[in-house]
Amino acid sequence: MTSWWRTAVVYQVYVRSFLDGDGDGVGDLAGLTAGLDAVARLGVDAVWLTPVYRSPQVDHGYDVADHRDIDPLFGDLATFDRLVGAAHDRGLRVLMDLVPNHVSDQHPWFVAARAGGPERELFHIRSRPTGWQSMFGGPAWSPLPDGSWYLHLFAPEQPDLNWAHPVVQSDFADTLRFWLARGVDGFRVDVAGGLAKDPAYGEVRRGSLHHPHWDRPEVHDVYRSWRGVLGTAPAVAEAWGPPERTAEFARADELGQAFAFDVLHTPWSAAALQRTVDAQLAAHRAVGALPAWVAGNHDIARVATRLGPERALALHLFLLALPGAFYLYAGDELGLPDAQVPPETWQDPQSLRSGGRLPNRDGARVPLPWTSGPGVGFTTGEPWLPIPATWPQYARDRQESDPTSAWSVLQRALAARPWLWTSEDLTWQDARPGVLVGRRADALVVLNTSSRPWRLPVATEVVARSVPGAEPTIATPSECVWLRDRRVRSPT
Ligand code: BGC
């Protein structure tokens, strides 16, 4: 399957925090439409919108009450259509976030199931709970009024669907068709590895390869059935696990793409990064796919906080230079750190439900700064999460006019990136410990994870670098440099 998305750069928009069009303090579709020129100026190929469906917003849209309507918080179907049209006019594709593992407890099916209707079969309802745990802390089963128990791998307001039921399967196929017909170009599939549950509801056994609800083989039947509906449209799997397991979701007759999440846990070490990249490339190539690289998203602390701003930018350039797609989390192009969100303003169900035991995801979800003036241009109202006083220094307007900013570094790299696609191969060249040098045809990508400068090879010229204005013949510590090797004739 050779398609635009195999090598695309996709900009992940956390819609609530991108730009507010109506002054209620929450980002929306009108705001996103107004901000599309800025997205296009950065030079990405597509946008992925976090869920904007009708939802009580218990998990900020990942609790869907109607998969085929827009929540009034974000707009309506007409605003959505305008967004898709405006994106396409700018050459940007649009991916939606599909949430198939669970629905909201306000979804009509669950309302009817709770009342004892035949819709009970569309969920996992049992007379006794198992010991399964919710991802947000505590038991994964909650009682219904009649004393039976329903499964929710996330919050109790997110009951899990029974994917063995044909009605669930056909309804989701309809949802895919509905959005494709509106011009949507693809999907990100939430909790892609969770849909199939052990029919015997066995307990989780430590060390067993077979899990009662993660990454069971039956889940792949679901995605094979979607491929016929999707045609050539991409879908990217949110599935955590070892590379060879996650890459299975990227098979040509399934979703086509899967996130390479283990980069997020790889230490800042040339050897460790090389191992991660090699394992991901090998696993994906084995199924005829390329990885979807990722440095951050709305579920983990921002990369500038995890690694520090210089390494974060270097990691972006490094991942952008690898064979595969890259998903850029909105705000990371500004080098935003995780915000310190005061516990009394926490919104994330993960930290609220676990009493702060599980990480708070709000810090990576704070609204973006557009201008350096008061209110940072996100909203005319009160932002849904408090915006730190330091945010003006990261403002988009300031960074776009500063050639040394994180935004400008990324913008230049994105403009140069198509040149890398003369080759899908990547080979490593010998370098000093702590320095990685990868080659793709006439392109060399140098990542210096060490604390000493590294002299760049002769007969090369710098095409992009993460430390603008640095000495032209060296890679500084914590820098990534893209070089053109003048001794290699570029295939035309
Ligand atoms: C999403 C999270 C969400 C969860 C439940 C995820 O993996 O990325 O933000 O809380 O699924 O839908």
Side-chain angles (χ1 to χ4, degrees):
M1 215 188 307
T2 303
S3 315
W4 65 269
W5 43 270
R6 194 173 153 88
T7 58
V9 178
V10 181
Y11 185 75
Q12 180 195 347
V13 178
Y14 196 70
V15 180
R16 297 177 77 85
S17 294
F18 186 69
L19 188 57
D20 177 16
D22 64 4
D24 67 354
V26 180
D28 49 35
L29 294 176
L32 174 52
T33 308
L36 281 179
D37 282 331
V39 177
R41 280 199 298 280
L42 183 59
V44 299
D45 303 301
V47 288
W48 145 31
L49 279 58
T50 51
V52 289
Y53 315 103
R54 255 186 206 275
S55 158
Q57 304 291 321
V58 169
D59 189 18
H60 298 142
Y62 286 96
D63 47 319
V64 179
D66 183 346
H67 294 90
R68 301 199 276 274
D69 201 4
I70 299 290
D71 196 277
L73 187 62
F74 299 117
D76 54 23
L77 285 168
T79 357
F80 181 81
D81 292 343
R82 275 199 293 280
L83 164 74
V84 173
H88 289 169
D89 287 348
R90 287 161 181 76
L92 295 167
R93 265 106 167 189
V94 179
L95 307 188
M96 287 193 93
D97 208 323
L98 195 75
V99 190
N101 181 68
H102 42 264
V103 290
S104 159
D105 63 350
Q106 302 303 308
H107 190 289
W109 284 352
F110 194 72
V111 172
R114 191 194 285 278
E119 289 79 358
R120 287 169 68 95
E121 288 178 14
L122 309 179
F123 298 91
H124 295 277
I125 296 180
R126 285 168 50 85
S127 53
R128 271 180 306 132
T130 67
W132 299 358
Q133 294 296 298
S134 149
M135 297 296 288
F136 290 163
W141 299 88
S142 288
L144 286 170
D146 69 354
S148 56
W149 299 77
Y150 71 94
L151 175 68
H152 54 86
L153 290 182
F154 293 86
E157 296 87 350
Q158 294 167 295
D160 279 48
L161 287 170
N162 173 13
W163 270 89
H165 201 291
V167 168
V168 172
Q169 296 166 9
S170 66
D171 189 74
F172 264 81
D174 286 348
T175 293
L176 293 174
R177 285 188 201 98
F178 178 87
W179 295 109
L180 290 168
R182 295 197 104 86
V184 161
D185 300 283
F187 300 89
R188 176 257 190 192
V189 181
D190 188 63
V191 193
L195 275 48
K197 272 74 177 185
D198 175 10
Y201 298 97
E203 292 298 342
V204 177
R205 277 183 295 133
R206 210 181 275 274
S208 164
L209 284 177
H210 306 286
H211 196 280
H213 60 74
W214 287 133
D215 200 10
R216 296 178 61 79
E218 308 91 289
V219 81
H220 294 285
D221 297 337
V222 174
Y223 301 127
R224 273 189 283 272
S225 78
W226 285 8
R227 186 38 65 198
V229 180
L230 288 167
T232 58
V236 57
E238 188 221 16
W240 299 76
E244 61 282 3
R245 295 301 288 264
T246 51
E248 290 182 354
F249 293 86
R251 290 186 282 222
D253 62 346
E254 295 192 35
L255 297 179
Q257 206 168 60
F259 287 123
F261 281 132
D262 48 1
V263 174
L264 304 174
H265 307 299
T266 305
W268 183 251
S269 133
L273 283 163
Q274 182 178 346
R275 276 195 299 276
T276 295
V277 168
D278 283 345
Q280 284 289 349
L281 281 172
H284 278 83
R285 286 197 161 123
V287 299
L290 288 175
W293 304 105
V294 50
N297 64 31
H298 64 294
D299 288 331
I300 48 158
R302 280 200 182 265
V303 59
T305 294
R306 297 194 326 267
L307 297 180
E310 283 198 346
R311 290 176 177 182
L313 202 48
L315 183 69
H316 273 79
L317 260 65
F318 178 65
L319 298 176
L320 279 166
L322 300 177
F326 182 71
Y327 282 70
L328 172 61
Y329 182 43
D332 284 350
E333 80 279 21
L334 306 175
L336 281 185
D338 231 42
Q340 293 297 322
V341 179
E344 61 278 13
T345 58
W346 280 359
Q347 307 249 355
D348 178 11
Q350 175 169 279
S351 38
L352 293 175
R353 284 189 54 76
S354 67
R357 193 175 49 79
L358 295 173
N360 177 254
R361 300 175 298 178
D362 293 325
R365 300 173 173 185
V366 167
L368 304 187
W370 287 79
T371 60
S372 10
V376 296
F378 164 73
T379 182
T380 53
E382 188 66 31
W384 72 281
L385 278 174
I387 298 178
T390 51
W391 249 218
Q393 82 190 68
Y394 300 102
R396 192 179 301 273
D397 65 348
R398 184 181 282 199
Q399 295 210 28
E400 286 202 30
S401 57
D402 172 3
T404 67
S405 69
W407 186 92
S408 296
V409 164
L410 275 172
Q411 190 268 340
R412 283 193 294 270
L414 289 169
R417 188 171 177 269
W419 144 73
L420 294 165
W421 294 103
T422 51
S423 166
E424 275 198 5
D425 289 336
L426 173 76
T427 52
W428 302 111
Q429 305 218 322
D430 284 343
R432 203 184 68 199
V435 177
L436 263 184
V437 180
R439 174 182 286 285
R440 292 177 62 183
D442 66 333
L444 293 175
V445 52
V446 176
L447 181 70
N448 183 0
T449 65
S450 76
S451 53
R452 286 184 297 136
W454 190 73
R455 186 160 295 285
L456 297 170
V458 291
T460 59
E461 67 192 82
V462 174
V463 174
R465 69 186 313 164
S466 62
V467 181
E471 154 73 68
T473 57
I474 60 162
T476 64
S478 303
E479 187 178 22
C480 180
V481 186
W482 295 1
L483 298 169
R484 184 190 305 278
D485 185 345
R486 287 197 293 259
R487 291 163 311 184
V488 176
R489 186 187 287 272
S490 160
T492 44

